[in-house]
Amino acid sequence: YFLMIRPQSIQRKQHQSLLENLKKGDKVITRGGISGRIVQIIGKNKEKLIISISDTTNITVLKSYIISKDN
């Protein structure tokens, strides 16, 4: 239990905390390796993000596809 399940549980809680604390202006990295800045949080349950990856290009991704904040 302590070698397999507990570390996964801790990682899942940390990831959930990261997703809950995302806000406009944060730099993020997606699972696909795309890096950008959050422009807007949209959706009925705030489950989608509009991310600016360049001056003229914005993409929409699901919040669950964010793996980390970029420094």
Side-chain angles (χ1 to χ4, degrees):
Y1 172 79
F2 290 108
L3 295 176
M4 296 177 65
I5 297 172
R6 183 71 177 146
Q8 289 176 353
S9 174
I10 291 170
Q11 259 186 338
R12 187 174 55 248
K13 287 178 184 178
Q14 288 174 340
H15 186 251
Q16 188 63 32
S17 174
L18 168 79
L19 296 180
E20 290 171 359
N21 293 320
L22 289 175
K23 60 188 180 301
K24 184 177 175 180
D26 286 346
K27 289 183 181 179
V28 294
I29 299 174
T30 68
R31 287 185 190 171
I34 298 171
S35 178
R37 185 177 303 275
I38 297 175
V39 176
Q40 189 176 5
I41 301 173
I42 60 173
K44 184 177 179 182
N45 297 320
K46 306 286 186 195
E47 76 277 2
K48 295 180 184 177
L49 304 172
I50 297 178
I51 299 176
S52 174
I53 56 175
S54 73
D55 291 337
T56 59
T57 307
N58 291 338
I59 60 171
T60 303
V61 297
L62 291 174
K63 191 184 275 189
S64 60
Y65 278 79
I66 302 299
I67 59 166
S68 68
K69 284 188 178 181
D70 190 13
N71 294 330

